[in-house]
Amino acid sequence: MTTHDGVLELLTRGEITVRGRIREASNAALYCSVALDGREAHCVYKPVAGERPLWDFPDGTLAQREVAAYELSEATGWGLVPPTVLRDGPYGEGMCQLWIEADPARSLLALADGDEPGDGWKAVGLAEVGEGRTALLVHADDPRLRRLAVLDAVINNGDRKGGHLLPVADGRLYAIDHGVTFHVEDRLRTLLWGWAGEPLTEEALAALETLDASLDGRSALAGRLAELITRDEVSAVRSRVRALRRSARHPEPAGNWPAIPWPPV
């Protein structure tokens, strides 16, 4: 058994003990420990019963969308979403995700004076910083973020905020909070617009080619997604993958939906 499979088994079969609540979360998000056969880890448990209704998503589906985002991330080979499973817990069925401890010293967002982002940064847009002043919001020109921008376009992420980016001490980047994803209409809202309109990397095009093949109706990935999201939403994923392959460019804001989530962090 690989270490990764071991984590999934722990998350799926381990006994969950609630340690506290993550108060800044918009839905019920519980900080927990999970233990199995002498192994223990920390995790986030989001019960379906604690989801607030949304006008544009079916009730009680956010946990499944979080798991579907993990499955898509794994299919790219980029490993951007922490191990995530759907399981029963102390408050019923919900999403259980490995807790990731971010390194606060590794900043990926900043505010810059002037109109240009500077070397190593990409511009997002102007942000109000108080007292009538504005500053340029920028994100790092980082290949890990660029992969995430592609993944977000595939899953149609409607809520990519700065607080969802978790760089860790070993150099990896994880992204969390994927409940507002997979809508059939274009709902992409993100802080990662720095590459908008630019050509996709060869790495991204190769990952999209792999996804396209993996989303065949008889594939394991397509079958797994069909357990988590609707048939139309699975079809929309493949359509987005193919549109990205055709354009070979990062998407640009569509103009029919706010391009940046609020609050941005």
Side-chain angles (χ1 to χ4, degrees):
M1 176 182 293
T2 66
T3 301
H4 192 69
D5 287 339
V7 170
L8 291 176
E9 181 188 35
L10 177 60
L11 292 173
T12 302
R13 297 181 49 227
E15 180 180 359
I16 295 177
T17 301
V18 176
R19 304 296 183 184
R21 181 169 183 174
I22 303 171
R23 296 191 177 277
E24 59 268 26
S26 56
N27 295 291
L30 304 176
Y31 177 67
C32 305
S33 62
V34 58
L36 178 69
D37 298 335
R39 294 174 292 154
E40 186 172 356
H42 291 108
C43 64
V44 175
Y45 162 56
K46 296 182 181 180
V48 172
E51 295 178 5
R52 294 193 304 176
L54 298 173
W55 69 270
D56 52 349
F57 284 88
D59 292 351
T61 67
L62 304 190
Q64 292 93 324
R65 295 171 193 279
E66 296 244 29
V67 180
Y70 165 71
E71 298 286 353
L72 257 296
S73 170
E74 288 299 289
T76 65
W78 290 335
L80 291 166
V81 179
T84 311
V85 302
L86 193 67
R87 59 161 293 172
D88 195 28
Y91 299 102
E93 185 178 64
M95 179 278 279
C96 184
Q97 184 178 79
L98 184 68
W99 177 265
I100 300 297
E101 197 66 48
D103 182 354
R106 298 173 183 264
S107 177
L108 297 170
L109 296 170
L111 291 170
D113 294 325
D115 299 326
E116 297 298 327
D119 292 341
W121 298 90
K122 303 290 277 187
V124 179
L126 292 174
E128 294 185 6
V129 293
E131 299 180 355
R133 295 172 50 246
T134 60
L136 187 64
L137 178 63
V138 298
H139 66 68
D141 188 3
D142 186 305
R144 302 168 302 170
L145 283 183
R146 193 164 189 172
R147 294 178 192 128
L148 184 58
V150 175
L151 178 66
D152 280 344
V154 169
I155 67 176
N156 199 15
N157 193 348
D159 194 33
R160 173 60 70 214
K161 297 176 180 176
H164 301 165
L165 308 175
L166 304 180
V168 297
D170 66 5
R172 285 180 292 180
L173 172 70
Y174 291 101
I176 60 171
D177 285 350
H178 296 104
V180 188
T181 50
F182 295 103
H183 202 287
V184 294
E185 299 175 4
D186 183 5
R187 294 294 175 86
L188 185 60
R189 292 197 304 173
T190 176
L191 288 180
L192 304 181
W193 287 116
W195 299 281
E198 293 187 15
L200 293 169
T201 64
E202 291 299 320
E203 176 192 49
L205 290 170
L208 291 168
E209 181 179 5
T210 298
L211 277 183
D212 199 353
S214 299
L215 287 166
D216 179 89
R218 296 176 296 277
S219 71
L221 178 61
R224 178 61 177 140
L225 291 179
E227 297 171 355
L228 299 165
I229 58 178
T230 69
R231 179 181 302 178
D232 286 345
E233 288 167 342
V234 176
S235 178
V237 171
R238 195 169 195 187
S239 294
R240 288 192 294 270
V241 168
R242 290 182 169 179
L244 286 167
R245 293 186 67 193
R246 285 193 303 270
S247 71
R249 292 183 177 274
H250 286 271
E252 299 182 79
N256 58 351
W257 184 253
I260 296 175
W262 187 262
V265 293

